[in-house]
Amino acid sequence: SQKIEQNSEALNIQEGKTATLTCNYTNYSPAYLQWYRQDPGRGPVFLLLIRENEKEKRKERLKVTFDTTLKQSLFHITASQPADSATYLCALGDTGNQFYFGTGTSLTVIP
Amino acid sequence: DAGVIQSPRHEVTEMGQEVTLRCKPISGHDYLFWYRQTMMRGLELLIYFNNNVPIDDSGMPEDRFSAKMPNASFSTLKIQPSEPRDSAVYFCASSIDRGGSGANVLTFGAGSRLTVL
């Protein structure tokens, strides 16, 4: 079965720096990859989607890359702010209808 | 739209009791998903429906779990009998089929936190 791994440890960075989160996968060839943000006590919220034939996607301070050779996606938050502190989840799917999630990476931006 | 609505938000029950979790998806969404989240295993897909029909229930852990979607605006996830290892946060999510324009984007509810003593 597919295996999806994200940064195993929490990530702490200084405000204003770029945060980089990693999503690696094995035994899978997804056509789509999504990133979600989850705050404590709430459900995940969609941020970005990237397709297998796209190398990079940007939205405001967010950037996602998708390397199907390395089986890896990188999620970048530039000019990070304390309000960016949350858990970030990657999700992979092949049909576009069914998605499998990683365990998430907890990000803390220190003022 | 009020978003995906789940109830109850919190449920504490004793082992062996029946638990029913409820979900109202966003109006017009034709996909509904049930996920379970734990620290150890993260978000696990349990089952999903398309137009009220169960499409894939391979994630349902065992026969104690069942899910129904009697109409487009309501779904239930039932655990009978419940066990302590079922303690988790259960999320419902819905989405709309974007057809050829790309993958579905999931809108999640706030979750139901279940504790089985």
Side-chain angles (χ1 to χ4, degrees):
Chain A
S1 63
Q2 73 282 350
K3 188 175 181 180
I4 305 164
E5 292 183 332
Q6 299 189 238
N7 302 54
S8 58
E9 297 181 3
L11 185 62
N12 298 324
I13 64 167
Q14 208 67 37
E15 182 176 4
K17 300 293 186 183
T18 296
T20 298
L21 285 64
T22 305
C23 177
N24 295 298
Y25 58 93
T26 56
N27 300 331
Y28 203 36
S29 295
Y32 303 95
L33 191 147
Q34 300 181 348
W35 283 88
Y36 288 76
R37 168 184 172 140
Q38 186 174 22
D39 291 286
R42 294 175 174 260
V45 174
F46 171 77
L47 295 174
L48 278 169
L49 177 149
I50 188 167
R51 297 174 178 79
E52 61 177 339
N53 60 351
E54 298 175 317
K55 296 295 184 186
E56 182 179 299
K57 206 76 167 287
R58 291 175 185 262
K59 179 182 176 183
E60 297 173 351
R61 294 184 297 110
L62 309 179
K63 185 179 85 171
V64 173
T65 63
F66 191 10
D67 189 326
T68 56
T69 301
L70 291 178
K71 294 186 179 294
Q72 180 182 77
S73 174
L74 298 178
F75 177 77
H76 305 272
I77 306 175
T78 59
S80 60
Q81 306 167 358
D84 295 327
S85 299
T87 295
Y88 291 86
L89 303 159
C90 69
L92 280 63
D94 50 13
T95 65
N97 298 324
Q98 185 174 1
F99 282 85
Y100 298 95
F101 282 79
T103 52
T105 298
S106 175
L107 172 68
T108 300
V109 180
I110 303 165
Chain B
D1 198 323
V4 176
I5 300 173
Q6 292 187 244
S7 65
R9 289 297 314 277
H10 301 275
E11 174 90 11
V12 180
T13 190
E14 293 191 347
M15 183 174 64
Q17 296 298 305
E18 177 179 295
V19 174
T20 299
L21 307 178
R22 299 172 177 81
C23 176
K24 176 177 166 51
I26 291 174
S27 177
H29 281 194
D30 50 0
Y31 281 85
L32 184 139
F33 303 80
W34 282 101
Y35 284 88
R36 176 173 69 177
Q37 187 174 43
T38 60
M39 289 291 291
M40 290 294 294
R41 301 171 69 92
L43 260 175
E44 300 174 276
L45 177 62
L46 300 178
I47 184 172
Y48 79 96
F49 297 81
N50 179 216
N51 292 322
N52 313 337
V53 176
I55 302 301
D56 186 348
D57 66 354
S58 59
M60 297 285 262
E62 47 198 276
D63 292 345
R64 297 184 297 105
F65 285 69
S66 62
K68 294 183 179 179
M69 191 165 186
N71 57 63
S73 58
F74 184 65
S75 176
T76 60
L77 178 67
K78 186 175 292 187
I79 308 172
Q80 166 65 18
S82 58
E83 296 182 3
R85 60 192 168 120
D86 301 331
S87 298
V89 180
Y90 291 81
F91 285 102
C92 174
S94 69
S95 69
I96 189 166
D97 192 347
R98 296 173 61 190
S101 64
N104 294 348
V105 169
L106 303 178
T107 301
F108 283 81
S112 294
R113 180 175 294 277
L114 173 65
T115 302
V116 183
L117 303 174

